[in-house]
Amino acid sequence: KPGMAASGGEMAKPSAIVKLSWKVDNLDQDELRYRLYYRLEGEKTWRSMLKPAEKLTRTDHDGDTSTRPEGTYRVLVEASDELSNPPDRVLRHSLESSGVLVDNTPPVFKALALRGRRLTGEVVDGLGPISRIEVSIAGTDEWRPLWPKDSVFDEPDETFDADLSSLVPAGSHLLAVRAYDAAGNAVTRDVEAK
């Protein structure tokens, strides 16, 4: 599934910046100007992504989503040759993107419990799927993956049940449990093993 992180390795760092790029066939090599618009799915009104006086002539743009509500957006790119032609000869073409997920909030643990060396819990994200759950003895840099009960990270609500006997030695230890959503947002909670 697009946007899902592979097991193991480094997770993507969360960012409120959405990198957009597009290709244009421009046979007559006119100088092109681009206008970018966005709308939240379910809305009808397109809103400009650019500042009022901004003139975009590149085929890429970094959009800051930190001040926009979370959800799935559509982006409309309009190309125009108005910089090279008089008004009555200007050609325009636009194309709408597929859905772009804006998710700047980390998931939350609805439940987290450790009984003996059996760790159970539920982690939920408001928008995207949970992409990783991992555990570490607090103070170490060694994170070990945990699997959801259904063995697939594909839902915004995942439960887990893991026997940590082989990871956590006898005695009292503080464990850190961390969960990521598909956007790279993470939450960490501690639980004590006695």
Side-chain angles (χ1 to χ4, degrees):
K1 189 172 187 180
M4 297 295 290
S7 297
E10 291 294 315
M11 286 296 297
K13 301 292 183 212
S15 174
I17 303 299
V18 173
K19 296 187 175 291
L20 304 170
S21 64
W22 54 94
K23 290 184 178 184
V24 177
D25 289 331
N26 185 12
L27 300 178
D28 59 3
Q29 299 299 308
D30 281 348
E31 184 179 6
L32 299 179
R33 178 181 186 173
Y34 303 99
R35 290 180 173 85
L36 303 176
Y37 303 93
Y38 70 93
R39 68 175 170 82
L40 194 57
E41 272 195 1
E43 291 183 352
K44 294 183 181 188
T45 305
W46 288 100
R47 302 179 195 310
S48 178
M49 290 181 73
L50 304 175
K51 296 178 178 116
E54 188 174 359
K55 184 169 68 174
L56 182 63
T57 57
R58 300 180 328 270
T59 57
D60 63 81
H61 180 75
D62 292 346
D64 184 0
T65 66
S66 61
T67 60
R68 295 199 176 99
E70 294 183 323
T72 302
Y73 285 81
R74 299 284 177 162
V75 175
L76 182 74
V77 178
E78 178 188 84
S80 164
D81 62 1
E82 65 194 67
L83 301 174
S84 299
N85 292 291
D88 62 333
R89 294 191 174 261
V90 170
L91 298 175
R92 298 179 192 283
H93 183 73
S94 61
L95 191 61
E96 185 177 332
S97 74
S98 58
V100 176
L101 181 66
V102 172
D103 181 358
N104 296 320
T105 305
V108 296
F109 283 100
K110 280 181 69 176
L112 184 63
L114 185 65
R115 290 178 186 79
R117 293 297 187 256
R118 180 159 294 284
L119 180 68
T120 60
E122 180 180 8
V123 64
V124 177
D125 190 67
L127 292 173
I130 301 301
S131 61
R132 184 186 291 181
I133 303 169
E134 51 193 10
V135 64
S136 175
I137 296 176
T140 70
D141 276 340
E142 187 175 327
W143 291 91
R144 302 295 293 272
L146 301 176
W147 289 105
K149 280 186 177 180
D150 66 0
S151 298
V152 180
F153 286 111
D154 62 348
E155 299 292 330
D157 187 335
E158 297 285 1
T159 58
F160 55 94
D161 184 347
D163 181 357
L164 302 180
S165 300
S166 63
L167 297 176
V168 183
S172 179
H173 300 278
L174 191 61
L175 301 180
V177 183
R178 183 165 62 188
Y180 291 89
D181 64 17
N185 300 305
V187 61
T188 304
R189 291 259 313 268
D190 294 335
V191 63
E192 188 174 359
K194 297 179 183 183

